[in-house]
Amino acid sequence: MKPGIAGFLFLCAFFLQQTAAGLVCAGGAGPDLLLAVTILTVFLSSGTKGVIAGATGMAALQELCFSLYGGPGTAAILLSGMSAAAAKRLFSWERPLFLFPFTAAVTLVYHLTFWGGERILGSPYSFSYLLKLQPLYIGYNLAAMGILYLLFIKNKESRSQI
């Protein structure tokens, strides 16, 4: 994936997270578009360090603009991006059989990291509240990754077969 396309996806995720993603929230949970775009761009890019740096920068900007606490979301995106880079080297990521369970696992890691950082900074949310919302977060992120998969990976496969 070209750096310009990855940057465009990060900007779209940044703006859509605060506008359109809020419209499909249920029970206090919604999709995390920056997380889904981070996983996708790490898998599709040849240089993962730049993509992880861009995702971390966008997460820092998102927290600066919209969050009560600064740092936990950035750390969670950094850890998620590094996990995706390690998985890219180890597994065949093009197949949904790997991509979707990996997205579910990274969603859990992301939210545990996010919750832990916010808890250290004084957030009143309990661990049971986080666990109660995890199925919704995972479902939303799987739906977002499914859309991105259809747009980018499946489309790329069909173009390469021609």
Side-chain angles (χ1 to χ4, degrees):
M1 178 176 285
K2 295 180 182 179
I5 296 172
F8 176 73
L9 287 174
F10 283 129
L11 278 175
C12 287
F14 175 77
F15 288 114
L16 290 174
Q17 184 68 42
Q18 303 307 321
T19 56
L23 298 175
V24 295
C25 290
D32 191 335
L33 301 177
L34 187 58
L35 176 63
V37 168
T38 299
I39 293 169
L40 180 82
T41 54
V42 166
F43 283 149
L44 291 179
S45 298
S46 57
T48 57
K49 290 179 184 176
V51 170
I52 293 171
T56 304
M58 193 56 72
L61 180 63
Q62 189 171 10
E63 284 189 321
L64 183 64
C65 293
F66 304 111
S67 181
L68 183 61
Y69 303 104
T74 306
I77 285 291
L78 177 63
L79 184 61
S80 300
M82 291 184 338
S83 300
K88 177 183 176 180
R89 287 191 302 270
L90 297 174
F91 301 104
S92 175
W93 56 268
E94 297 95 350
R95 303 288 174 233
L97 189 60
F98 167 73
L99 187 62
F100 291 114
F102 179 77
T103 300
V106 169
T107 299
L108 180 61
V109 168
Y110 172 85
H111 284 285
L112 288 173
T113 306
F114 192 79
W115 174 83
E118 284 193 341
R119 190 71 175 171
I120 289 169
L121 294 173
S123 173
Y125 295 112
S126 68
F127 187 68
S128 61
Y129 180 75
L130 170 76
L131 291 179
K132 180 180 85 171
L133 292 178
Q134 267 320 292
L136 290 172
Y137 283 127
I138 289 171
Y140 277 124
N141 287 341
L142 287 175
M145 185 55 76
I147 292 169
L148 290 172
Y149 174 82
L150 290 174
L151 290 174
F152 291 96
I153 297 174
K154 197 69 169 169
N155 194 12
K156 181 181 176 184
E157 288 175 359
S158 65
R159 281 193 308 254
S160 66
Q161 292 175 357
I162 296 176

